[in-house]
Amino acid sequence: MRHAVAPAETVENNSFAVTDLLKICTHCERISKKDLGVRIPRPLGNGPSRFIPEKEILQVSKVDARTQSIFEDAFAALGRLDNISLVMGFHPQYLESFLRTQHYLLQMDGPLSLHYRHYIGIMAAARHQCSYLVNLHVNDFLQVGGDPKWLNGLDEAPQKLQQLGELNKILAHRPWLLTKEHIERLLKAEEHSWSLAELIHAVVLLTHYHSLASFTFGCGITPEIHCNGGHTFRPPSLSQYCMCDIANGNGHANHHDDLLGNQDMCGEVEVLMERMKQLQECRDDEEASQEEMATRFEREKTESMLVVTAEDEECVPSRDISRHFEDPSYGYKDFSRRGEHVPTFRVQDYSWEDHGFSLVNRLYPDVGQMLDEKFQMAYNLTYNTMATHKDVDTSMLRRAIWNYIHCMFGIRYDDYDYGEINQLLDRSFKIYIKTMVCSPEKTTKRMYESFWRQFQHSEKVHVNLLLMEARMQAELLYALRAITRYMT
């Protein structure tokens, strides 16, 4: 059901507050200061993303009536339109599903109180040092009557929330280590016990915000001008440009985007399309044995551990962020190091469709359905295009991306030939995928630019939606399987 929509004029003025507020030339700024004695905030970035030119993002919303309508609904419901939604606006069908699910998780009737929900969002986003999401939910937490003392650190929050810390860190970094014993400790903690329904709500929120942190870093989302890290009061240093020019993407800042070369990537799209065609022909001609398929999965899983996730040194979380979670040194580690062996998670033994979906829907009605629609939307979304080519079946490529992520989490589909992954995903793309999914805080603009250079930004955002949803489903599968094992 659509929410009451604010008048279009009001919405437009507010929904693009990011850019409207920025369009203040230095002359106007000086007059304002002189006449009013007001310090005018100046943006630290150009538009909603550090990776995507602002003009491309805003152009989408202006020409697409459906996107504009979704933005209006979101604004009417929340009183704001965040930069994540603006970037997701490249794909309005998905955005609609995403916003509906998030709204239900945070604002509609459910097992957890509103302030608990936002605090869990803070805990989850903090695990990946995602200050953008942490700040967003700190504000929401206070608005719904949350106790400001809890924001001093996790040790100031109720014992019940503190106990969620272990589940938070394992799910975020090494979900394959989750056991029914972890679940039992939460459900049998005497006066601090979680109910099964509360725990399902918490698990969905944790996985939602871990994966949303991946999307935030993967798309280079910048803070809105009114948020921490979104503005400065220093005068601009580019004296030859007024703020109007820079805010509209006319400064030097976008020069690199224009020069981003295809010189050594010539024919990249055609090569990928040819490989897809050859793989389809091989599929039609012969089918590998189950033993060979299992071997190819193990080989790909091992190779995925050799993909290095970051170009830089270890990220050390600031005190502002690290106070919201425990054990800051705990992070992603590959699952078969030093002879350790984690059993493969076989999807035919426990799948989202046959097991996870019904468990969530039983304990938290309607959410299973919403999550399922969102997973399907990301997985099946296609415009049948690749860069400038039309009428292309991209299903093979989408499946390779989804299954590669699940493979990194030790999850295997018996009916999939993992040999296809190396044919379709090159090394720079794999580095980007692994970094964004496993250590998103280390994602850089260079990584974003280094894969699929001939593709459009909207296609890269689509990839990020796939990565986000595949990651969320992988985490959920481990958590729901542990809960199921506890229940049986």
Side-chain angles (χ1 to χ4, degrees):
M1 190 175 83
R2 281 170 62 101
H3 299 285
V5 176
E9 198 174 287
T10 309
V11 171
E12 190 165 17
N13 288 343
N14 287 283
S15 62
F16 300 117
V18 176
T19 49
D20 292 342
L21 282 174
L22 309 193
K23 293 171 186 169
I24 303 168
C25 71
T26 47
H27 174 66
C28 298
E29 191 175 4
R30 279 196 299 274
I31 292 171
S32 299
K33 283 180 180 174
K34 188 176 174 185
D35 292 354
L36 303 174
V38 174
R39 298 176 76 209
I40 305 286
R42 191 169 64 81
L44 280 177
N46 285 347
S49 165
R50 290 184 295 113
F51 300 170
I52 305 169
E54 180 186 24
K55 55 182 182 244
E56 285 197 36
I57 296 169
L58 296 186
Q59 201 171 356
V60 173
S61 59
K62 284 175 185 169
V63 298
D64 190 307
R66 182 177 185 182
T67 309
Q68 188 66 37
S69 170
I70 295 165
F71 283 170
E72 288 171 7
D73 284 1
F75 185 85
L78 292 171
R80 65 164 186 254
L81 190 64
D82 58 43
N83 286 343
I84 287 175
S85 298
L86 285 172
V87 173
M88 283 183 182
F90 279 116
H91 305 286
Q93 280 178 287
Y94 173 85
L95 175 62
E96 200 164 24
S97 178
F98 171 85
L99 289 174
R100 187 190 311 120
T101 306
Q102 184 168 261
H103 177 72
Y104 195 92
L105 289 174
L106 291 175
Q107 294 177 279
M108 303 300 283
D109 287 345
L112 294 174
S113 61
L114 296 183
H115 62 296
Y116 260 53
R117 301 180 201 194
H118 290 295
Y119 197 83
I120 290 168
I122 293 167
M123 289 173 66
R127 275 272 32 138
H128 283 309
Q129 305 166 39
C130 188
S131 55
Y132 176 90
L133 289 174
V134 168
N135 291 334
L136 213 58
H137 286 282
V138 162
N139 291 335
D140 289 342
F141 171 78
L142 293 172
Q143 277 189 354
V144 297
D147 186 342
K149 277 192 235 162
W150 299 9
L151 300 176
N152 294 333
L154 186 58
D155 51 358
E156 296 270 354
Q159 187 68 32
K160 186 171 176 175
L161 282 167
Q162 290 182 42
Q163 286 175 320
L164 207 58
E166 181 80 1
L167 180 66
N168 183 24
K169 79 174 187 182
I170 293 172
L171 268 182
H173 305 297
R174 307 173 206 174
W176 47 87
L177 297 181
L178 202 61
T179 65
K180 66 177 183 181
E181 284 74 30
H182 291 113
I183 303 303
E184 186 172 20
R185 283 200 287 274
L186 288 165
L187 297 173
K188 294 188 172 178
E190 296 173 354
E191 72 268 29
H192 306 300
S193 292
W194 290 76
S195 71
L196 263 174
E198 287 174 332
L199 186 57
I200 289 286
H201 195 168
V203 160
V204 174
L205 284 168
L206 289 171
T207 57
H208 176 80
Y209 283 105
H210 294 156
S211 55
L212 193 55
S214 284
F215 183 85
T216 301
F217 284 114
C219 289
I221 301 293
T222 56
E224 290 79 18
I225 190 171
H226 60 277
C227 295
N228 290 352
H231 61 268
T232 179
F233 291 103
R234 291 178 190 160
S237 56
L238 298 171
S239 56
Q240 70 270 43
Y241 287 102
C242 78
M243 281 308 299
C244 309
D245 287 328
I246 298 170
N248 286 300
N250 301 326
H252 287 308
N254 285 329
H255 189 51
H256 178 64
D257 293 316
D258 299 331
L259 296 180
L260 188 56
N262 295 326
Q263 55 269 39
D264 55 349
M265 284 299 187
C266 209
E268 174 192 34
V269 182
E270 288 75 13
V271 169
L272 191 48
M273 288 172 65
E274 182 58 32
R275 283 183 182 165
M276 287 161 60
K277 183 182 169 190
Q278 289 170 359
L279 285 171
Q280 187 59 55
E281 287 167 359
C282 290
R283 269 187 195 171
D284 296 340
D285 292 345
E286 58 175 298
E287 198 172 308
S289 66
Q290 278 301 309
E291 292 77 14
E292 176 60 24
M293 299 270 264
T295 302
R296 289 175 187 176
F297 169 78
E298 291 300 331
R299 189 184 302 134
E300 189 56 51
K301 189 170 83 168
T302 304
E303 281 185 19
S304 78
M305 287 184 270
L306 303 176
V307 174
V308 181
T309 57
E311 303 174 334
D312 57 355
E313 297 301 312
E314 201 66 28
C315 298
V316 180
S318 69
R319 167 65 188 148
D320 273 1
I321 299 296
S322 63
R323 65 186 172 189
H324 297 301
F325 64 92
E326 59 185 23
D327 198 358
S329 62
Y330 191 94
Y332 173 80
K333 287 281 187 295
D334 291 315
F335 39 70
S336 296
R337 295 248 170 128
R338 298 185 184 85
E340 295 172 20
H341 180 68
V342 175
T344 294
F345 186 128
R346 299 171 76 230
V347 168
Q348 76 263 34
D349 297 335
Y350 196 94
S351 70
W352 166 254
E353 291 80 7
D354 297 333
H355 306 92
F357 168 80
S358 55
L359 177 61
V360 173
N361 241 22
R362 190 165 81 246
L363 292 167
Y364 190 5
D366 297 330
V367 169
Q369 187 65 43
M370 288 182 178
L371 291 176
D372 191 60
E373 286 170 10
K374 191 160 63 78
F375 292 147
Q376 294 291 335
M377 182 64 69
Y379 188 87
N380 294 321
L381 184 65
T382 183
Y383 306 94
N384 297 305
T385 59
M386 280 177 66
T388 56
H389 297 267
K390 292 182 168 53
D391 302 318
V392 183
D393 180 359
T394 61
S395 55
M396 183 183 286
L397 185 56
R398 282 179 277 123
R399 190 177 184 193
I401 293 167
W402 187 280
N403 287 3
Y404 179 60
I405 293 157
H406 281 202
C407 178
M408 290 192 306
F409 283 84
I411 298 170
R412 181 189 167 208
Y413 295 82
D414 279 4
D415 63 346
Y416 183 69
D417 181 355
Y418 286 84
E420 293 185 4
I421 288 173
N422 274 342
Q423 296 292 313
L424 299 175
L425 313 183
D426 64 26
R427 185 162 184 79
S428 62
F429 192 14
K430 283 184 170 182
I431 289 171
Y432 175 80
I433 290 173
K434 187 171 182 181
T435 305
M436 184 186 148
V437 170
C438 303
S439 308
E441 62 278 7
K442 297 178 182 177
T443 308
T444 63
K445 186 174 184 182
R446 182 177 159 192
M447 287 180 193
Y448 175 88
E449 290 173 344
S450 69
F451 81 91
W452 284 14
R453 292 194 185 189
Q454 291 186 320
F455 286 75
Q456 298 174 43
H457 287 291
S458 61
E459 291 172 305
K460 290 193 171 193
V461 172
H462 183 190
V463 165
N464 287 344
L465 297 178
L466 268 175
L467 304 189
M468 172 171 75
E469 295 299 346
R471 174 190 176 167
M472 182 177 182
Q473 192 180 93
E475 281 189 39
L476 268 179
L477 281 172
Y478 278 108
L480 298 173
R481 185 181 69 167
I483 291 170
T484 300
R485 285 178 171 173
Y486 165 79
M487 291 168 68
T488 53

